[in-house]
Amino acid sequence: MHDNSKITIQMMTLQLLNKKNMVNKSKKMKIKLKVEQALEEPDWVMATQEELNNFTQNEVWSLVERPNQNVIGTKWVFRNKQDEHGVVTRNKARLVAQGFTQVEGLDFGETYAPVARLESIRILIAFATHHNFKLYQMDVKSSFLNGPIHELVYVEQPQGFEDPKKPNYVYKLHKALYGLKQAPRAWHECLKEFLLKKGFEIWKACSTLFTRKFDNDLFVCQIYVDDIIFGSTNKTFCDEFSRIMTKRFEMSMMGELNFFLGFQIKQLKEGTFLCQTKYTQDMLKKFGMENAKPINTPMASNGHLNLYDESKKGKDVDQKLYRSMIGSLLYLCASRPDIMLSVCMCVRFQANPKECHLVAVKRILRYLIHTPNLGLWYPKGSTFDLLGYSDSDYAVAKYIPFGKVHESGLRSRGLLQTGTCQFLGRSLVSWSSKKQTSVALSTAEAEYVAAGACCAQLLWMRQTLRDYEFSKIPHLCDNESAVKLANNLVQHAHTKHIDTRHHFLRDHEAKGDIAIHHVSSENQLADIFTKPLEESRFCDLRSELNILDSRNVV
């Protein structure tokens, strides 16, 4: 009986394995059929031919005998390029190397390539708005194919375009191919070398921002991989830049900046409006929330406490779905500071999300249904002074027993919520809402540490805008004790445990770089980044941050 049951189990296992292999084979056949079918359609054939023509023009590779070393596979990727309204503008075929098969030290070495910070892009938009000039955009066609590589890399011949006379030959790469680990770095080095030869300078605070001065005029150029934003106080220099770039690279001129990295940008006479309305709508549709009931705030006034109190209870939820929602919302925070706090609170439970956490995330989505058109408004005519706000919430720790560590990482009388925001005139260009990582035994110390974080961001922004003289940047804090700690060089006994790195706030206060002042709690704009608020207070602060509805601006 025992032997028979053993044989039966083995037979069932073999059947399951055979079934699994059949499914995998059918999946591969479907993928193969899709590629073959695409190559039978004239539009996609033209797209693939255009891609291979780019390889020839840029002298990307040469056909050689198969070497006795690693050969990387290739595959076609087909995509419909759409504009901000979702209308298909053209078919795009891309031949991609399967970089996951590369061997470090053989096929690639250094891979790091700098990418523009979103704060840098917002600073550039605020800068252009203040100086009353338009920003333009261009796209480099097949940008990675321009970057020379120094390693010996071989790839298979592309599917559907194998040489009939030399079917076993492979291509030796002279320049980068999409999918290679070193491709972004090779392209960035190529573009940087070209711009430096043309007289451009790299800003020390941002290695993707290039500038060039012409007497009293300034030209600025921001690089984000193959997308380029540029503008100047003199329109002639924009035309000249377009000319030299088109002469060296194959470019797609896209006119005025209006759709960039998922951001919708409207440059108007009164100012510039930045939003992600289309991205929001697509996200709601992706998660099946477009018809959900709207709500006025992203989190209830006691929402953070519910997340902590109920984190050990409730049913487990789909971790993949939860993380996908969080990732989508984090990118939306780039133009929606009003959801920053609620998203950051939910981020902390990705390791083991419960039903209450998913409900909290869905509440944020319901709030987005209520406010789909909100975005950042950068008005013209305002000053261009740097200004920072910092705040810290010490209330959450009171609900956790003293000395114990909650599963979220919050220690009683320890880790707290810190919020900061920085303005250029009336333009909000940077903000943060995060868990404070240093121990604080009082509200004053928590506020002091938060002020240090805000100070660091202000100093980075001042370095970015090095052509401006910012003397004693105002830094507003609503805690008088923290202000006194920053001004008083005497070492207090109650602050001796604070890390030395946080005391640099005092140093810059003494140097005159920062002037920390007290502001009333009612006028503390960073309050929206530290704790959930009642609807009226939340809406007031949202308006003060210039987060407006596009229908009220355009």
Side-chain angles (χ1 to χ4, degrees):
M1 188 71 179
H2 178 71
D3 292 337
N4 290 337
S5 62
K6 199 171 184 180
I7 293 171
T8 304
I9 291 172
Q10 290 177 348
M11 291 179 63
M12 291 175 65
T13 304
L14 288 172
Q15 289 176 356
L16 287 172
L17 288 172
N18 290 332
K19 188 176 180 181
K20 186 176 181 180
N21 290 332
M22 289 292 290
V23 171
N24 289 336
K25 284 182 180 179
S26 65
K27 284 184 178 179
K28 290 180 180 178
M29 287 297 292
K30 286 181 180 178
I31 294 170
K32 188 176 179 181
L33 284 173
K34 286 182 180 178
V35 174
E36 290 177 350
Q37 289 171 355
L39 294 176
E40 291 176 358
E41 297 182 10
D43 291 341
W44 288 117
V45 171
M46 289 180 61
T48 53
Q49 196 61 54
E50 181 183 356
E51 176 76 350
L52 294 176
N53 288 339
N54 288 331
F55 283 37
T56 304
Q57 292 175 7
N58 291 290
E59 299 178 347
V60 173
W61 57 18
S62 57
L63 197 61
V64 297
E65 292 184 5
R66 184 178 294 272
N68 188 24
Q69 75 168 65
N70 183 38
V71 179
I72 302 167
T74 59
K75 72 172 185 177
W76 287 106
V77 176
F78 301 109
R79 183 184 177 188
N80 290 322
K81 301 285 279 188
Q82 300 177 350
D83 61 11
E84 59 180 304
H85 304 293
V87 178
V88 177
T89 55
R90 67 190 180 100
N91 293 333
K92 180 67 178 178
R94 181 77 73 194
L95 184 66
V96 179
Q98 295 175 329
F100 58 87
T101 62
Q102 285 185 263
V103 179
E104 186 175 3
L106 175 66
D107 296 320
F108 72 96
E110 294 290 336
T111 61
Y112 171 76
V115 177
R117 295 172 60 175
L118 294 177
E119 295 101 316
S120 300
I121 295 173
R122 290 192 293 262
I123 289 173
L124 178 59
I125 294 173
F127 180 86
T129 302
H130 175 73
H131 287 81
N132 197 27
F133 67 82
K134 294 278 188 179
L135 287 174
Y136 301 88
Q137 64 183 130
M138 61 170 60
D139 176 66
V140 184
K141 292 183 178 179
S142 303
S143 58
F144 285 6
L145 304 183
N146 293 281
I149 58 175
H150 307 290
E151 301 86 1
L152 281 176
V153 181
Y154 299 90
V155 297
E156 299 284 359
Q157 297 185 47
Q159 181 182 350
F161 294 88
E162 296 87 350
D163 191 323
K165 296 181 181 179
K166 301 176 180 178
N168 295 323
Y169 275 45
V170 297
Y171 281 106
K172 177 184 177 182
L173 294 183
H174 308 297
K175 295 184 179 179
L177 195 66
Y178 282 86
L180 291 182
K181 294 182 183 296
Q182 66 267 46
R185 183 180 180 87
W187 158 242
H188 180 78
E189 292 297 322
C190 174
L191 180 58
K192 182 178 73 172
E193 182 181 353
F194 173 75
L195 292 176
L196 292 177
K197 285 182 179 179
K198 294 298 181 180
F200 289 85
E201 295 181 358
I202 303 177
W203 280 25
K204 293 181 180 179
C206 182
S207 58
T208 60
L209 185 62
F210 295 81
T211 62
R212 188 176 178 183
K213 289 184 178 180
F214 303 87
D215 297 328
N216 295 325
D217 293 308
L218 178 67
F219 178 90
V220 291
C221 170
Q222 181 78 67
I223 309 295
Y224 195 97
V225 190
D226 59 348
D227 291 311
I228 302 174
I229 305 175
F230 62 97
S232 174
T233 50
N234 189 331
K235 177 67 166 58
T236 306
F237 302 135
C238 293
D239 298 332
E240 175 66 14
F241 180 74
S242 301
R243 187 188 65 79
I244 63 173
M245 289 294 289
T246 305
K247 186 177 179 180
R248 172 62 178 85
F249 306 103
E250 190 175 358
M251 310 294 298
S252 294
M253 288 300 301
M254 306 175 73
E256 291 186 11
L257 178 65
N258 53 29
F259 192 68
F260 182 76
L261 301 177
F263 297 92
Q264 294 163 256
I265 302 165
K266 298 178 182 178
Q267 302 182 74
L268 308 171
K269 292 181 179 180
E270 300 80 11
T272 303
F273 188 73
L274 173 69
C275 68
Q276 291 173 275
T277 302
K278 182 182 182 298
Y279 177 85
T280 302
Q281 294 170 346
D282 293 342
M283 179 178 60
L284 292 172
K285 185 177 181 180
K286 175 183 176 181
F287 298 116
M289 293 288 293
E290 65 269 31
N291 296 320
K293 184 179 179 180
I295 201 163
N296 296 335
T297 57
M299 180 176 280
S301 57
N302 63 342
H304 59 321
L305 301 180
N306 291 339
L307 289 177
Y308 291 130
D309 294 341
E310 299 179 17
S311 59
K312 295 182 179 179
K313 306 174 185 177
K315 300 178 181 178
D316 291 334
V317 296
D318 186 352
Q319 192 179 79
K320 184 177 180 181
L321 173 65
Y322 187 84
R323 290 184 174 182
S324 179
M325 287 180 167
I326 290 295
S328 300
L329 287 169
L330 281 172
Y331 191 68
L332 183 60
C333 289
S335 67
R336 293 292 298 269
D338 51 325
I339 66 170
M340 189 74 183
L341 171 67
S342 51
V343 174
C344 288
M345 297 296 288
C346 295
V347 163
R348 301 172 188 176
F349 302 96
Q350 291 186 88
N352 187 25
K354 302 294 182 180
E355 195 170 15
C356 64
H357 305 136
L358 183 61
V359 170
V361 172
K362 288 186 175 181
R363 181 187 173 106
I364 302 173
L365 296 175
R366 290 168 59 198
Y367 168 71
L368 295 176
I369 298 173
H370 178 65
T371 58
N373 300 309
L374 288 187
L376 290 172
W377 172 242
Y378 293 167
K380 290 181 180 179
S382 61
T383 61
F384 202 64
D385 298 326
L386 262 175
L387 174 65
Y389 291 83
S390 65
D391 194 19
S392 184
D393 180 38
Y394 195 70
V396 180
K398 296 178 182 178
Y399 293 87
I400 300 176
F402 183 80
K404 292 187 177 180
V405 179
H406 192 270
E407 68 172 8
S408 65
L410 183 68
R411 182 185 295 275
S412 173
R413 309 301 191 267
L415 304 181
L416 314 167
Q417 191 72 20
T418 293
T420 65
C421 57
Q422 294 79 27
F423 289 82
L424 280 170
R426 287 290 298 131
S427 301
L428 177 63
V429 294
S430 179
W431 57 88
S432 69
S433 177
K434 58 181 65 176
K435 190 166 57 177
Q436 200 173 99
T437 56
S438 60
V439 175
L441 300 182
S442 68
T443 304
E445 295 169 27
E447 296 275 3
Y448 181 72
V449 174
C454 183
C455 175
Q457 184 71 1
L458 288 171
L459 293 174
W460 174 81
M461 291 174 64
R462 188 184 67 169
Q463 178 64 21
T464 302
L465 298 162
R466 61 182 180 180
D467 290 333
Y468 284 84
E469 291 295 332
F470 296 109
S471 59
K472 287 200 172 186
I473 303 170
H475 180 171
L476 305 181
C477 176
D478 63 355
N479 187 277
E480 291 186 0
S481 298
V483 174
K484 291 177 180 178
L485 282 175
N487 287 301
N488 190 355
L489 296 179
V490 177
Q491 182 71 35
H492 296 275
H494 294 293
T495 63
K496 61 184 179 182
H497 63 277
I498 297 179
D499 291 342
T500 305
R501 62 192 178 94
H502 296 299
H503 290 302
F504 86 103
L505 176 63
R506 287 182 182 176
D507 298 334
H508 288 286
E509 169 72 23
K511 290 178 183 178
D513 297 333
I514 300 291
I516 187 164
H517 303 291
H518 178 260
V519 65
S520 64
S521 297
E522 291 76 17
N523 297 321
Q524 175 56 271
L525 302 187
D527 198 30
I528 197 173
F529 301 111
T530 61
K531 54 183 173 292
L533 303 169
E534 297 292 340
E535 182 181 348
S536 58
R537 172 70 172 162
F538 177 81
C539 293
D540 289 342
L541 288 179
R542 190 177 65 188
S543 298
E544 287 295 322
L545 294 174
N546 262 347
I547 306 172
L548 307 179
D549 194 305
S550 61
R551 294 169 296 184
N552 298 330
V553 172
V554 181

